[in-house]
C-alpha cells in the first residue's frame, strides 16, 4: 500500500486536486454592474468583446475599456468606449488597468475575461490595485468541445501556479 503513494503519485494527485479547486473557485456568473461602473475587457478570446458590448448595452451608463487591443484603429472609440493597445500580456493588462483606474479615480471595476482566465486576471489586477473592488464578469466557454475546455483550464491553472511563484510575464 505504501508503494502506491510514491512522490510522483502524490505530486500528480496534488496537481489534479489543485486544478479541481482552481476551476471550482472561478466565478460562474457576472457580478452586479452598477450604473457608474467601468468595465475592463481583456482581449485574447473572440468571445470577450462581444460579451462586454452586450453588458454595456444592458448598462448604458458604464464606460468600457478594451485592454490589450493589439494596435490602434482595431476598434472604434467613443466617449464610452476606450481602447488601450499597448499591453500584450495579462500582467501588462493589469498594469494598464491600474494606470487607468488611478488616473480616473476608480475604486471599483468590472473585469470581463473568459471563465478559465478570470482567477489569474483577478489575482494580477488585485496585486496592482489592492484597494480597488474587482467585480468578476466571466465569459462562459460555450460551444467548445470538452477536450478543448480541459486544455484551456489546464493551461490557465499552470499559468496561475507560475504567477503565484512571482513570475508574472512569459
Amino acid at each position: 500500500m505504501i508503494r502506491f503513494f510514491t512522490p510522483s503519485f502524490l505530486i500528480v494527485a496534488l496537481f489534479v486536486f489543485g486544478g479541481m479547486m482552481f476551476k471550482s473557485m472561478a466565478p460562474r456568473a457576472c457580478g452586479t454592474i452598477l450604473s457608474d461602473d467601468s468595465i475592463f475587457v481583456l482581449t485574447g478570446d473572440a468571445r470577450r468583446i462581444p460579451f462586454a458590448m452586450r453588458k454595456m448595452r444592458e448598462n448604458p451608463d458604464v464606460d468600457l475599456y478594451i485592454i490589450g487591443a493589439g494596435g490602434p484603429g482595431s476598434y472604434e472609440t467613443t466617449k464610452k468606449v476606450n481602447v488601450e493597445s499597448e499591453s500584450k500580456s495579462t500582467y501588462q493588462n493589469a498594469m494598464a488597468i491600474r494606470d487607468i483606474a488611478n488616473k480616473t479615480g476608480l475604486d471599483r471595476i468590472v473585469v470581463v475575461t473568459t471563465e478559465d482566465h478570470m482567477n489569474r486576471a483577478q489575482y494580477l489586477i488585485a496585486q496592482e490595485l489592492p484597494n480597488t473592488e474587482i467585480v468578476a464578469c466571466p465569459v462562459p466557454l460555450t460551444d467548445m468541445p470538452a477536450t478543448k475546455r480541459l486544455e484551456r483550464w489546464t493551461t490557465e491553472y499552470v499559468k496561475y501556479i507560475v504567477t503565484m511563484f512571482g513570475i508574472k510575464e512569459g
Side-chain angles (χ1 to χ4, degrees), residues 28-165:
R28 294 284 181 248
C30 189
T32 302
I33 299 175
L34 305 176
S35 61
D36 63 342
D37 276 338
S38 292
I39 297 174
F40 290 84
V41 56
L42 282 63
T43 58
D45 183 283
R47 298 168 188 82
R48 296 175 188 174
I49 293 174
F51 182 86
M53 296 302 283
R54 283 193 301 277
K55 292 299 176 188
M56 187 177 177
R57 282 192 295 280
E58 293 169 9
N59 303 278
D61 293 329
V62 302
D63 292 318
L64 177 68
Y65 293 87
I66 299 172
I67 305 297
S74 299
Y75 304 95
E76 182 180 333
T77 60
T78 67
K79 185 176 181 186
K80 293 286 184 179
V81 179
N82 305 279
V83 177
E84 183 281 327
S85 59
E86 298 298 316
S87 59
K88 307 287 187 245
S89 68
T90 306
Y91 176 60
Q92 291 175 12
N93 293 164
M95 291 189 303
I97 292 169
R98 176 203 60 207
D99 294 345
I100 293 166
N102 288 340
K103 181 177 161 187
T104 56
L106 300 175
D107 59 1
R108 177 185 153 97
I109 62 171
V110 176
V111 175
V112 172
T113 189
T114 47
E115 59 185 346
D116 60 327
H117 186 241
M118 187 60 76
N119 287 339
R120 190 166 63 95
Q122 277 187 289
Y123 176 80
L124 287 167
I125 295 166
Q127 294 293 303
E128 297 300 318
L129 291 167
N131 299 317
T132 301
E133 181 182 354
I134 301 169
V135 178
C137 192
V139 180
L141 295 173
T142 56
D143 301 327
M144 181 183 288
T147 54
K148 182 67 175 167
R149 280 196 311 272
L150 178 61
E151 178 185 324
R152 285 180 59 133
W153 277 101
T154 302
T155 300
E156 283 301 326
Y157 175 49
V158 169
K159 288 180 179 181
Y160 185 78
I161 291 170
V162 169
T163 300
M164 297 298 287
F165 280 101

